[in-house]
Amino acid sequence: MTRPVLLVTRRLPPAVEARARRDYDARLNPDDAPRTGDGIVGLAQGASAILCCPAERMDARTIADLPDSVRVIATFSVGYDHVAVEAAKARGIAVCNTPDVLSVATAETVMLLILAAARRAGEGERLVRAGRWDGWAPTQLLGTQVSGRRLGIFGMGRIGREVARMARAFGMAIHYRDQVRLPPDLEQGATFHENDESFLAASQVLSLNAPGGEGTRRWLNAARIALLPGGAVVVNAARGTLVDDAALIAALRSGQVGFAGLDVFAEEPKVDPGYLALENVVLLPHLGSATTETRDAMGFLALDGIDAVLAGRRPGNRVA
Ligand code: DGY
């Protein structure tokens, strides 16, 4: 029996590729070369499914040009702002993502950003590596303590709630902003804010955990930054598009934002050069879910979604 063709746009963990090869006529990408929309359309000829990644823009034009054989697109990510969902729906193509399995790893990255930014770990590492460290000094690289501070979480979904769980171990008081208030079992005593003003005023540390897309584009702009307590810590492991970079860079220069930690950027892998000139921002290369266990689980979940759609079932991770 011929097996359905599965196009995998990037190199995936070995266990995930092994399963893809076992169950599909898998078109893999052993060189891990980045794919463009046109390239994906060409490679997808005759494919029933595409397993894509957040680095590829599956925009409306790309989806319109896909062959009729494609029945499902699964993205190797929880975020699906890079997939034109309405265009997929219009063509009857299902879209799946990888929720839940990456919440812990991503929340760990948020905690890493908070601590690294507030305790000046990037600066310290650069000092040691450059051979410029003269030894311990009472006033050297003083950061700000995060234990006991108020943490504002913008977007209290699965990852936001995992961040809250971890931050409670640091004695942080959890505040959050979302479209609706969570039920008490999910809220776990966190303080809900009905408006940006009170939320931002409370956020000594602000973590962005909302999805990307038009609804949140440049949410953290100059006007909102001005509402933060002076010297606040800002971290983003969600999507770079949530931040107005010029406004955040100006605030990092003026001290309105004391420290920032960024794992995501609006036009990855490009990083606004304004950040590179600043010592008080820690920059990571989109490491959010990058653990071996998590990347395996993401791949398996994406394949579960593809298996289900091609078998005529509706998987739990289908978003459209
Ligand atoms: C996601 O899943 O959306 C992340 O950005 C990839 O780790």
Side-chain angles (χ1 to χ4, degrees):
M1 208 176 81
T2 57
R3 294 175 304 166
V5 174
L6 165 64
L7 171 64
V8 179
T9 60
R10 296 297 296 269
R11 184 166 60 216
L12 297 181
V16 179
E17 290 197 343
R19 177 171 148 185
R21 270 197 304 267
R22 183 193 69 192
D23 297 342
Y24 292 94
D25 177 358
R27 291 182 187 156
L28 303 177
N29 182 354
D31 300 330
D32 205 21
R35 301 290 191 209
T36 60
D38 288 344
I40 290 171
V41 170
L43 290 163
Q45 297 308 310
S48 301
I50 300 176
L51 205 170
C52 70
C53 293
E56 288 122 22
R57 283 181 53 74
M58 298 293 286
D59 55 19
R61 210 206 72 186
T62 302
I63 289 181
D65 288 347
L66 287 174
D68 291 340
S69 56
V70 175
R71 291 171 52 201
V72 51
I73 296 169
T75 179
F76 190 84
S77 57
V78 67
Y80 51 91
D81 47 307
H82 56 294
V83 181
V85 167
E86 291 307 317
K89 269 192 201 163
R91 292 209 54 195
I93 299 174
V95 179
C96 300
N97 69 341
T98 62
D100 296 314
V101 293
L102 47 58
S103 301
V104 169
T106 308
E108 284 182 354
T109 301
V110 171
M111 295 311 296
L112 170 69
L113 290 171
I114 292 174
L115 292 168
R119 300 301 304 274
R120 303 175 68 173
E123 276 176 88
E125 229 237 356
R126 283 191 288 280
L127 194 72
V128 174
R129 282 185 182 275
R132 287 188 286 106
W133 184 42
D134 295 330
W136 189 89
T139 56
Q140 186 179 59
L141 288 179
L142 302 185
T144 185
Q145 186 165 306
V146 297
S147 294
R149 294 282 158 85
R150 292 186 302 268
L151 170 64
I153 299 178
F154 177 65
M156 194 68 152
R158 288 168 288 234
I159 296 171
R161 295 198 297 275
E162 195 55 41
V163 171
R165 187 184 69 78
M166 293 182 189
R168 283 188 190 102
F170 283 83
M172 300 187 87
I174 311 301
H175 293 247
Y176 73 99
R177 176 100 175 92
D178 211 320
Q179 285 161 347
V180 288
R181 184 169 179 175
L182 295 174
D185 59 320
L186 295 182
E187 196 172 67
Q188 293 284 318
T191 304
F192 173 66
H193 290 263
E194 278 178 355
N195 60 68
D196 289 344
E197 288 71 17
S198 70
F199 169 69
L200 289 163
S203 299
Q204 293 172 307
V205 178
L206 172 68
S207 175
L208 304 180
N209 294 103
E214 286 315 309
T216 55
R217 189 169 295 279
R218 298 205 182 93
W219 179 83
L220 190 63
N221 57 19
R224 289 195 175 93
I225 288 172
L227 297 171
L228 289 166
V233 178
V234 170
V235 300
N236 185 12
R239 283 293 180 266
T241 50
L242 268 77
V243 174
D244 177 337
D245 289 317
L248 182 56
I249 289 164
L252 281 161
R253 285 193 189 125
S254 74
Q256 169 60 13
V257 171
F259 305 99
L262 306 176
D263 185 46
V264 286
F265 304 91
E267 290 180 43
E268 294 177 14
K270 281 192 218 148
V271 175
D272 190 313
Y275 290 123
L276 302 178
L278 290 171
E279 286 288 2
N280 53 345
V281 56
V282 172
L283 306 169
L284 297 182
H286 203 147
L287 293 181
S289 60
T291 70
T292 304
E293 312 81 312
T294 302
R295 291 283 163 89
D296 280 353
M298 290 165 69
F300 295 144
L301 184 56
L303 288 173
D304 289 346
I306 292 170
D307 293 350
V309 172
L310 295 186
R313 290 181 277 112
R314 186 179 175 95
N317 58 330
R318 181 169 172 175
V319 294

